[in-house]
Amino acid sequence: MRLLFCFLLIFQFLQAGAQEQLPTVPIKSTSGKETTTQSFLDGNTPVVISFWATWCKPCLQELDAFNDLTETWKKETKARIIAVSIDDSRTAAGIKKTLGLHDWSFDVFWDENQEFKRALNITLIPHTIVVDKNGVIVKRYTAYIPGNEEKVLELLKTL
């Protein structure tokens, strides 16, 4: 029994120190082109990935805030911003309409079968992850609080 306890304790310690990598799953651009989430990485650029849905008002507020900071982010960091819609087939028609109402300057993708969302164990949106240039997830933000975009920018400056 003691041996089992020690094994579980060591296993838990090793898991805590493990770095979470960005998973590779299929995803679609809003134009319908299929790719994988590995296309988000180029080995040189950190990535901010924001999960959203057309019906989520805080998600839209967060993405608008990110968009408002785009020029500042370009001057202060080389990070790439990506928005990933988790809309299901019933609400997916609203994605292009939403994009027409918001003039976002970053890439938008659709997680058609929510594989990306599930692979990252995301249950609440908005959910934003910051990924370093090597594909390691360094920070997660759940919910939108005005000003979080500044925290994300400060983190990106360190990557």
Side-chain angles (χ1 to χ4, degrees):
M1 187 67 154
R2 215 180 248 175
L3 183 60
L4 178 62
F5 177 75
C6 288
F7 174 75
L8 290 174
L9 189 61
I10 291 169
F11 181 75
Q12 195 171 27
F13 175 76
L14 292 174
Q15 288 288 91
Q19 295 181 325
E20 185 181 9
Q21 287 287 132
L22 188 70
T24 302
V25 294
I27 197 155
K28 281 188 178 178
S29 70
T30 53
S31 65
K33 181 183 175 197
E34 293 190 23
T35 186
T36 71
T37 52
Q38 285 304 299
S39 69
F40 299 168
L41 304 173
D42 66 5
N44 296 312
T45 310
V47 182
V48 176
I49 303 171
S50 180
F51 288 83
W52 67 286
T54 55
W55 44 264
C56 174
K57 299 297 182 213
C59 298
L60 301 176
Q61 292 171 333
E62 179 178 69
L63 291 170
D64 284 341
F66 284 165
N67 194 62
D68 291 345
L69 280 178
T70 299
E71 290 306 313
T72 303
W73 286 28
K74 285 180 183 176
K75 291 176 189 170
E76 298 185 28
T77 181
K78 58 183 178 177
R80 180 178 178 198
I81 302 171
I82 295 172
V84 176
S85 170
I86 62 155
D87 282 279
D88 61 22
S89 58
R90 293 171 296 166
T91 57
I95 297 171
K96 287 191 179 186
K97 180 181 177 187
T98 301
L99 294 178
L101 296 172
H102 299 267
D103 190 24
W104 297 329
S105 58
F106 37 80
D107 294 323
V108 180
F109 291 84
W110 179 34
D111 189 14
E112 182 178 18
N113 297 315
Q114 298 188 355
E115 289 180 64
F116 193 26
K117 175 186 160 199
R118 279 193 308 276
L120 289 166
N121 199 29
I122 292 172
T123 55
L124 301 172
I125 57 169
H127 192 108
T128 300
I129 61 172
V130 179
V131 183
D132 73 9
K133 65 183 180 178
N134 299 313
V136 175
I137 297 171
V138 296
K139 186 76 174 171
R140 289 176 177 252
Y141 298 89
T142 303
Y144 173 64
I145 300 169
N148 266 5
E149 61 278 2
E150 295 290 344
K151 291 179 182 177
V152 173
L153 175 60
E154 290 305 311
L155 175 59
L156 289 170
K157 289 179 186 179
T158 68
L159 299 178

